[in-house]
Amino acid sequence: LLPRRERGDPLHKSLHAAYESTKAMAPSASAEARIETARAAIEAALALDSSASPLRREGRARAAQDALTVFSDELVAESDYVYQEGERAFGHGHPDPWGPLEIRAPSGEVVFVEGRIDRIDVDAGRTSARVIDYKTGKARGVRARDGRFQLPLYALVAMRLGLPETSSVLVAIS
């Protein structure tokens, strides 16, 4: 329906809004209350009630539905992890621990990597972090290849949180 970037950007924005809106809710809050809070945050983030061309409105509505589906599915899944933060930029000009990732070649050359981590979750005991990257609109094999390079780099950045373990997960959204 929409080009990949035009679909991916609102999807990322929606997921970030959903998780941020429910982050401060009491652990006893029901799944229904969390989903409704996330739904309202997604609708506000994408300005679903604003005017746009029919194609753009439909694209935003689909991104909102896809985000709510991902959020809801993860909410009901058994997990030891909870949302910590999303859309975490790292690179030059960001405060510690979010400066650029320095990669040194055996020859001594240095490359600095900057980027944005889609989501970081932590376990309840704060002993483990999980980096999550969303991929949209690509064939499953291409998404897997993307994750083999990008996710380990993001995990290296997340290790700066000082937790003993860091893992990564690719969430494919078709």
Side-chain angles (χ1 to χ4, degrees), residues 47-53 57 60:
L48 290 183
D49 59 354
S50 68
S51 63
S53 71
R57 274 196 316 273
R60 288 191 309 218

Side-chain angles (χ1 to χ4, degrees), residues 12-171:
H12 280 78
K13 188 176 188 177
S14 296
L15 285 162
H16 184 244
Y19 283 99
E20 283 292 318
S21 71
T22 59
K23 184 177 181 177
M25 292 179 81
S28 61
S30 70
E32 293 80 17
R34 290 179 189 282
I35 291 169
E36 280 311 308
T37 298
R39 180 190 319 276
I42 290 168
E43 289 175 3
L46 294 185
L48 290 183
D49 59 354
S50 68
S51 63
S53 71
L55 181 63
R56 297 273 185 264
R57 274 196 316 273
E58 178 63 21
R60 288 191 309 218
R62 284 191 183 189
Q65 184 56 52
D66 288 346
L68 193 61
T69 298
V70 169
F71 178 84
S72 300
D73 288 351
E74 290 183 356
L75 182 65
V76 298
E78 292 291 321
S79 175
D80 295 331
Y81 290 90
V82 295
Y83 174 79
Q84 177 72 29
E85 64 182 299
E87 298 303 317
R88 164 45 69 193
F90 65 95
H92 292 287
H94 291 279
D96 284 339
W98 305 113
L101 177 63
E102 181 179 315
I103 300 176
R104 187 171 302 278
S107 64
E109 294 176 86
V110 177
V111 174
F112 293 97
V113 179
E114 298 181 342
R116 182 175 304 274
I117 300 171
D118 293 342
R119 193 172 99 214
I120 301 171
D121 294 349
V122 296
D123 69 336
R126 294 199 52 84
T127 60
S128 179
R130 179 175 66 183
V131 172
I132 300 186
D133 191 57
Y134 306 121
K135 293 293 181 201
T136 61
K138 294 181 181 180
R140 185 174 299 272
V142 173
R143 287 191 297 246
R145 282 193 304 275
D146 286 352
R148 279 189 256 160
F149 178 74
Q150 191 175 20
L151 284 171
L153 291 177
Y154 289 173
L156 287 172
V157 173
M159 287 175 64
R160 296 174 180 172
L161 294 173
L163 304 178
E165 292 181 35
T166 303
S167 62
S168 55
V169 175
L170 182 71
V171 175

